[in-house]
Amino acid sequence: MASVFYTLALLACPVGMGLMMFMMMRGQKTSTPQAPDSGEVDALRAEVEALKAERAATPHHPQP
């Protein structure tokens, strides 16, 4: 009878950990962020290109 209790105690930790991991993974699936739409990405790319062009047109002064 004592071996049954030892076996249950031995299995309680891994089974509990597996159950907690399952519940955490299940909870993450519902709260995943949505990918940005292509219009937002295109606008950001255009802004980056404008900033690069502005930076290239500005003369750089080396630090003394």
Side-chain angles (χ1 to χ4, degrees), residues 1 11 15 24 27 33 40 49 51 53 56:
M1 189 67 172
L11 292 177
V15 170
M24 289 174 65
E40 185 179 357
E49 290 302 319
L51 290 171

Side-chain angles (χ1 to χ4, degrees), residues 19-54:
L19 183 61
M20 284 190 287
M21 288 176 59
F22 172 75
M23 296 299 282
M24 289 174 65
M25 293 298 289
R26 196 177 98 190
Q28 285 182 349
K29 289 182 183 177
T30 58
S31 64
T32 55
Q34 298 295 324
D37 60 351
S38 62
E40 185 179 357
V41 172
D42 291 338
L44 290 171
R45 284 185 179 147
E47 185 177 352
V48 167
E49 290 302 319
L51 290 171
K52 283 181 182 179
E54 180 183 327

Side-chain angles (χ1 to χ4, degrees), residues 5-20:
F5 291 121
Y6 288 129
T7 304
L8 288 176
L10 185 66
L11 292 177
C13 184
V15 170
M17 185 65 72
L19 183 61
M20 284 190 287

